[in-house]
Amino acid sequence: MINPASRLNSIELSLIRKMFEVTNPDAINLGIGEPDFNVPENIKNAMKKAIDENDTHYTPNKGYIELREEIVKKFKKENGINTNPENVIVTVGASEGLYMCAQAFIEKGDEVLISNPSFLSYEACVNLANGTAVPVDCTMENEFKLKADDVQEKITGKTKAIILNSPSNPTGAVMDKEDIKAIADLSMDKDFMIISDEIYEKIIYGKKNYSPAKYSDNTITLNGFSKTYAMTGLRIGYLTANENYTEELLKIHQYNIACANTITQRGAYEALTGPQDEVERMVGEFKRRRDLTVTRLNEMGYETVNAEGAFYVFPKIEDEDFVMKAAKEGVITVPGIAFGSNGENHVRISYANSYENIEKAMDILEERIVNG
Ligand code: PMP
């Protein structure tokens, strides 16, 4: 038996995935982190065409130039970020982008600020790069929004980066513009990097997403097609940064992946250039489900913030056995503690499931757990 590398000592396989393995297949799944919608038809057709045209060869390491040009236009129009195709890399999901950032810029002795609670991969990627993740509290009093003042308090001489994620997984919180701007200013003054994971930028209700890259040249912006276009399994995303950073990131990407998949690159091109009405429809439906979920949970007495984005809510549920009891009754959720210590006494509930299933799940929780 060969021992694994010591960098894996602190890494555990995802608790969320484990939850799915223990529960019955008929349970209503409010634990998932992916849209229940199908990929829009125009995107599917573009991918079928790509196969028929034998578009199955390597592309440039950074991705097809046509796709990168569209990504540049998107960044300018929607995020106020001025970039160019040379500074864009098409990745295998935002996941690869995140991993690239950690491998290219983090090493032993570096501190990386991450929200507590936050998406599981952040701490894992920092640990895999031998860095130290430093949690910054996000509390229910602040609707789980990361505040610049709290970030400032955690900055030390060793701070190398901060990972921002707005809208947030697992809380649905959308950061305020002032905080984004203030953190961007700090990143320039104190010389640290912002890794901005904007994968949920379009799944937002009435608020606007602000990109720190607009204010700080020390930013790497990560994005992808998984959430906006329901393309999770197709594994396609992208990033942009200034040319010095892009060159370092490319070293990781080139020797790890070579290039993203050709078929899904063609799908991604269609996603950006084709009609956007499916996106609007999906976001409208997510909002309807968010309203239902928040209302029902609050009626049950579980204090729940009316989250402004992503497809998660993070109610306060102090019953330690809630997640297990709910799973036995046929509703899968995820314990908040999986996302960091501030997740204690909270549960992540994803509403990326049909309205009818959410109604059923809420009835089950009310009848069998709250009144049971
Ligand atoms: N960032 C966050 C916050 C996420 O929730 C996810 C998916 N669960 C990802 C990144 C990964 O996205 P992708 O499918 O593009 O790798």
Side-chain angles (χ1 to χ4, degrees):
M1 181 61 191
I2 311 293
N3 289 332
S6 57
R7 78 178 77 89
L8 292 187
N9 290 349
S10 64
I11 310 288
E12 294 221 17
L13 289 175
S14 161
L15 224 137
I16 306 181
R17 301 263 153 210
K18 279 188 201 155
M19 281 296 300
F20 298 161
E21 285 159 19
V22 294
T23 40
N24 77 59
D26 298 328
I28 299 173
N29 195 339
L30 304 186
I32 35 173
E34 64 171 336
D36 57 314
F37 301 110
N38 292 323
V39 174
E41 285 301 318
N42 61 314
I43 299 176
K44 283 198 229 170
N45 288 337
M47 292 191 290
K48 288 179 197 164
K49 195 157 172 261
I51 297 177
D52 289 340
E53 289 173 359
N54 294 309
D55 194 350
T56 53
H57 303 274
Y58 289 125
T59 75
N61 292 128
K62 291 179 185 171
Y64 277 130
I65 182 69
E66 298 82 358
L67 174 57
R68 284 184 284 133
E69 279 166 357
E70 288 307 320
I71 292 169
V72 167
K73 284 188 211 159
K74 184 252 172 244
F75 273 131
K76 181 155 183 61
K77 185 165 156 230
E78 297 180 356
N79 308 94
I81 299 172
N82 285 317
T83 185
N84 62 62
E86 284 317 305
N87 292 340
V88 168
I89 303 178
V90 179
T91 59
V92 181
S95 300
E96 194 221 343
L98 178 67
Y99 187 76
M100 285 158 66
C101 293
Q103 290 299 311
F105 292 99
I106 308 303
E107 61 190 329
K108 197 169 168 45
D110 290 341
E111 294 180 352
V112 181
L113 306 182
I114 61 171
S115 304
N116 174 12
S118 64
F119 176 47
L120 295 171
S121 298
Y122 298 155
E123 187 173 2
C125 280
V126 172
N127 288 343
L128 281 171
N130 296 324
T132 305
V134 175
V136 185
D137 290 336
C138 293
T139 59
M140 202 171 196
E141 290 74 63
N142 286 332
E143 299 178 331
F144 300 111
K145 292 175 187 185
L146 182 66
K147 306 306 284 177
D149 287 346
D150 296 330
V151 169
Q152 188 157 16
E153 268 179 30
K154 296 288 170 109
I155 296 171
T156 70
K158 293 180 179 166
T159 306
K160 183 78 176 277
I162 183 169
I163 304 178
L164 299 185
N165 176 219
S166 178
S168 149
N169 173 9
T171 65
V174 175
M175 286 179 68
D176 293 325
K177 184 182 179 186
E178 309 83 83
D179 290 303
I180 302 251
K181 172 94 174 53
I183 294 168
D185 290 346
L186 281 171
S187 77
M188 295 304 283
D189 292 350
K190 308 266 180 189
D191 217 20
F192 62 85
M193 174 172 277
I194 299 179
I195 299 163
S196 181
D197 177 352
E198 300 178 25
I199 188 112
Y200 292 102
E201 68 165 344
K202 292 279 175 76
I203 305 175
I204 193 164
Y205 318 115
K207 290 229 15 191
K208 196 176 152 12
N209 168 54
Y210 293 96
S211 298
K214 194 172 164 184
Y215 313 109
S216 163
D217 195 39
N218 274 341
T219 306
I220 302 173
T221 306
L222 307 180
N223 211 325
F225 296 86
S226 288
K227 317 287 172 173
T228 307
Y229 299 96
M231 286 167 66
T232 44
L234 295 169
R235 313 306 307 123
I236 185 98
Y238 53 95
L239 61 78
T240 193
N242 71 39
E243 65 185 38
N244 297 325
Y245 296 159
T246 319
E247 200 176 309
E248 304 306 328
L249 291 164
L250 188 62
K251 292 178 189 169
I252 309 294
H253 178 74
Q254 187 167 85
Y255 292 115
N256 188 22
I257 300 292
C259 67
N261 176 304
T262 50
I263 311 301
T264 57
Q265 285 196 56
R266 292 272 297 264
Y269 179 85
E270 174 61 27
L272 289 179
T273 54
Q276 302 296 309
D277 36 325
E278 274 295 287
V279 178
E280 271 168 45
R281 190 184 66 77
M282 290 191 270
V283 175
E285 178 56 21
F286 278 136
K287 180 175 182 301
R288 205 166 77 93
R289 297 172 187 181
R290 188 274 317 253
D291 293 345
L292 169 70
T293 314
V294 170
T295 307
R296 290 293 305 267
L297 289 168
N298 278 325
E299 280 169 5
M300 284 180 229
Y302 297 130
E303 195 188 340
T304 309
V305 174
N306 195 23
E308 292 165 320
F311 36 65
Y312 310 101
V313 288
F314 208 61
K316 186 167 191 175
I317 300 183
E318 280 157 315
D319 175 358
E320 272 180 21
D321 300 325
F322 176 92
V323 171
M324 272 307 161
K325 283 196 271 187
K328 277 202 198 109
E329 298 294 348
V331 180
I332 303 176
T333 58
V334 182
I337 192 78
F339 304 96
S341 60
N342 282 338
E344 197 173 5
N345 296 328
H346 289 271
V347 172
R348 189 188 77 172
I349 295 185
S350 157
Y351 48 89
N353 204 320
S354 71
Y355 195 88
E356 294 66 37
N357 277 346
I358 296 169
E359 272 183 322
K360 262 191 236 159
M362 292 298 142
D363 288 345
I364 292 174
L365 297 182
E366 187 167 334
E367 284 159 23
R368 311 231 189 109
I369 298 193
V370 179
N371 302 330

